[in-house]
Amino acid sequence: MIDVDIDLIKKYNVQGPRYTSYPTAVQFQDAGREDVEELHRYLVNRNSGPHRVSLYFHIPFCFSLCWYCGCNKVITKDQDRGDGYLDYLEMEMDQVAGLLHPDSEVVQVHFGGGTPTFLDPEQLQRLGEAIHSRFNLTGQTEFGVEIDPRRCTREHIQMLAAIGCNRASLGVQDTNEEVQQAIHRIQPFEQTCRVTEWLREVGISSINFDLIYGLPLQTLETFQKTMDDVLQLKPDRLAVYSYAHIPSMMPAQKLLNEEDMPSTDQKLGMLQLSISHLTENGYRFIGMDHFSREGEELTRAMDNGTLQRNFQGYSTLAGADLYAFGMSGISNVGNYYWQNTKDLAEYYEQLDENKAPVFKVLQLNQDDRLRKEVIMKIMCNMGVNFDAISSRWNIRFKEYFRDELERLREFEQDGLINVLPDRLVITEKGRLFLRNIAMCFDYYLNLKSSARRYSKTV
């Protein structure tokens, strides 16, 4: 059981990155023609040999606006727009497939959004066939999809299984009707139950539910009821996110009634409750917002040191080249990150001109790559082996990171870490503060000129 110290949570509950990448997306630079050409040359050279590949597909469309949401999305009820979007996804897939070595295997596919189940079953079939015809998927490929239970039929689920989907993540957020009305997302729990049953009927047995705490009208009692509701369905994983209210960056959030939002103490109580309640019911706290049941592969990966982190959260797959398709998708291959344009019309225009729809790009320097490894060790492996890093990067860890280790002293005094002669070890209590600990090693965040808006770390 993790000791949840509310005073420490208040102390360290500051703004900070989520570290689905390092450097974070705010460091990406506008991509000029020469940047895109240089990226293309890099990819051609890298793909002279085979690599493990991960594919992400962003489906931006939603039928209605959830007022808390900060995703890149397009609100429309016109399902025919899915056909046009698939035309362009196929064009982008052709660009990427032409770069890959023919022996490169796809180890992971993920559909995100928006709402992937905005696409009707026939459109999903078309997308699946387009992927299979261009890329080497195997019987071991991990294939996940994000599902909105409000917009999902049995035929959707049957088609997802037919194209190879074997994992699903259901957006639930909260099961209380008043909270659902307050966030403009009406989803009777029966819909969640029904979709979960359909998934298991077709053999998609690895299921995650997304919950959010800190929403308007939530209380400790209603949030515990939400957790009890979803626990009836025995999910393999749960992602329990802290609601980040940043209306200056996410205009839809201005529609929420701030007076109805829980106080800081109430919200921290929900965090405390979620950790204690879920761990008492057979789940392990992986870190950040993620829980997985005992024996599940995410839990095993945490125990054996193979846990990884990417733009979709925690994962068991390491080292794959990530290619993202669709508007706003972020790719990570070798020493490069790049992001597609966030504007749908511009995305179409770039592909019509046979251009890669690249909007932002970042080539990592050696310091970036070193710090990325250290930060990901903190986020995934509960510590850093100084000697291993020193040997791999030809540095003296304690000298290179002298200032960073000094910043960690307060964390050690608070019992969140132990700094040993040869390693940094994060305590169980420190698992709540992974973002804060990682921030000490973030070169860009610690620049005096840095002033970015992030969500709270806890």
Side-chain angles (χ1 to χ4, degrees):
M1 178 72 70
I2 293 177
D3 177 17
V4 182
D5 187 322
I6 292 295
D7 289 333
L8 281 179
I9 292 175
K10 289 181 178 179
K11 175 180 178 179
Y12 288 109
N13 193 25
V14 298
Q15 292 179 1
R18 298 183 61 81
Y19 294 116
T20 51
S21 71
Y22 182 84
T24 61
V26 295
Q27 302 305 327
F28 297 1
Q29 303 296 314
D30 290 343
R33 187 184 69 180
E34 291 183 2
D35 299 308
V36 177
E37 290 174 350
E38 186 175 345
L39 169 62
H40 185 268
R41 287 192 293 270
Y42 176 85
L43 294 176
V44 169
N45 182 65
R46 182 171 180 84
N47 284 290
S48 59
H51 288 273
R52 298 162 73 246
V53 170
S54 176
L55 306 176
Y56 172 77
F57 294 87
H58 189 76
I59 313 300
F61 303 112
C62 293
F63 286 98
S64 62
L65 178 66
C66 300
W67 292 347
Y68 61 85
C69 181
C71 298
N72 288 298
K73 56 196 173 294
V74 175
I75 307 301
T76 179
K77 296 186 184 300
D78 181 5
Q79 263 185 301
D80 289 342
R81 294 186 69 177
D83 292 312
Y85 189 72
L86 290 176
D87 290 340
Y88 287 91
L89 281 184
E90 290 177 358
M91 293 165 67
E92 190 181 6
M93 278 190 266
D94 286 337
Q95 290 182 352
V96 172
L99 288 172
L100 297 184
H101 190 280
D103 294 332
S104 290
E105 288 190 351
V106 175
V107 297
Q108 185 179 49
V109 178
H110 190 86
F111 292 174
T115 303
T117 47
F118 174 91
L119 300 178
D120 65 31
E122 291 73 23
Q123 291 167 335
L124 286 172
Q125 180 181 24
R126 177 184 168 188
L127 178 56
E129 290 175 349
I131 295 167
H132 282 278
S133 67
R134 290 167 174 82
F135 304 102
N136 295 332
L137 278 66
T138 74
Q140 304 303 311
T141 300
E142 180 183 290
F143 194 146
V145 61
E146 298 169 15
I147 291 175
D148 181 349
R150 301 171 302 161
R151 304 292 179 182
C152 187
T153 64
R154 186 192 295 269
E155 289 71 30
H156 277 94
I157 300 303
Q158 291 170 337
M159 184 56 68
L160 286 169
I163 65 175
C165 177
N166 48 38
R167 293 179 177 276
S169 181
L170 277 64
V172 177
Q173 322 317 347
D174 193 287
T175 62
N176 181 274
E177 185 176 348
E178 291 184 349
V179 175
Q180 291 179 1
Q181 290 173 346
I183 63 175
H184 199 241
R185 184 189 173 97
I186 306 302
Q187 182 175 315
F189 187 56
E190 292 74 19
Q191 290 179 327
T192 303
C193 296
R194 188 163 57 245
V195 173
T196 303
E197 182 179 342
W198 292 338
L199 287 165
R200 289 181 171 142
E201 281 179 359
V202 298
I204 302 176
S205 57
S206 181
I207 296 174
N208 171 81
F209 292 144
D210 286 347
L211 305 179
I212 298 178
Y213 66 91
L215 295 171
L217 300 181
Q218 278 181 333
T219 66
L220 279 173
E221 292 73 25
T222 65
F223 194 63
Q224 175 158 345
K225 176 64 164 56
T226 288
M227 286 191 288
D228 287 337
D229 286 342
V230 298
L231 285 175
Q232 296 175 37
L233 301 179
K234 298 180 171 57
D236 300 273
R237 302 177 186 178
L238 286 150
V240 186
Y241 296 110
S242 169
Y243 169 63
H245 189 62
I246 316 177
S248 60
M249 297 179 65
M250 302 174 188
Q253 294 182 349
K254 295 176 182 177
L255 297 168
L256 297 173
N257 186 350
E258 294 190 28
E259 294 180 359
D260 289 337
M261 293 181 186
S263 68
T264 299
D265 284 351
Q266 289 171 322
K267 189 176 178 183
L268 295 179
M270 292 177 200
L271 169 62
Q272 188 177 39
L273 173 66
S274 65
I275 294 173
S276 61
H277 196 57
L278 294 177
T279 53
E280 287 169 2
N281 280 276
Y283 290 82
R284 293 274 295 279
F285 181 46
I286 300 298
M288 292 283 290
D289 328 282
H290 288 64
F291 298 80
S292 65
R293 59 175 171 74
E294 291 289 355
E296 203 270 342
E297 64 177 334
L298 208 61
T299 307
R300 296 199 305 271
M302 182 179 71
D303 289 340
N304 65 28
T306 60
L307 193 65
Q308 301 296 318
R309 190 160 174 78
N310 59 28
F311 292 106
Q312 281 75 58
Y314 282 106
S315 169
T316 60
L317 295 169
D321 288 356
L322 170 61
Y323 292 90
F325 301 86
M327 60 171 275
S328 79
I330 300 177
S331 302
N332 177 206
V333 176
N335 300 333
Y336 268 94
Y337 290 110
W338 70 94
Q339 182 173 25
N340 285 352
T341 177
K342 297 180 179 181
D343 181 82
L344 186 60
E346 185 176 338
Y347 174 73
Y348 290 165
E349 181 182 336
Q350 294 286 86
L351 287 165
D352 279 333
E353 296 176 5
N354 200 31
K355 296 177 181 177
V358 177
F359 166 59
K360 298 273 190 178
V361 68
L362 180 68
Q363 184 176 16
L364 280 65
N365 60 36
Q366 180 161 311
D367 181 72
D368 292 333
R369 299 195 301 271
L370 166 58
R371 290 175 185 272
K372 177 181 179 180
E373 181 171 342
V374 171
I375 286 173
M376 292 306 159
K377 293 290 185 187
I378 289 169
M379 299 299 294
C380 299
N381 302 133
M382 296 293 289
V384 181
N385 184 309
F386 300 159
D387 293 341
I389 296 292
S390 297
S391 175
R392 186 153 47 250
W393 292 92
N394 193 28
I395 63 167
R396 294 181 178 178
F397 190 98
K398 289 185 176 180
E399 291 183 13
Y400 195 98
F401 292 112
R402 184 186 300 110
D403 292 343
E404 288 78 2
L405 292 172
E406 184 63 32
R407 293 186 196 111
L408 289 172
R409 287 186 180 275
E410 194 167 3
F411 293 89
E412 188 167 30
Q413 292 167 1
D414 287 333
L416 306 180
I417 63 172
N418 292 317
V419 181
L420 306 177
D422 64 339
R423 68 188 61 231
L424 162 68
V425 178
I426 298 168
T427 65
E428 276 298 307
K429 185 162 62 171
R431 193 179 284 276
L432 266 173
F433 305 96
L434 296 178
R435 291 167 73 179
N436 304 77
I437 297 165
M439 285 164 63
C440 294
F441 291 90
D442 187 329
Y443 169 80
Y444 301 98
L445 197 64
N446 289 295
L447 290 174
K448 290 184 179 179
S449 60
S450 177
R452 301 285 186 179
R453 282 298 301 272
Y454 296 101
S455 62
K456 292 292 185 72
T457 56
V458 185

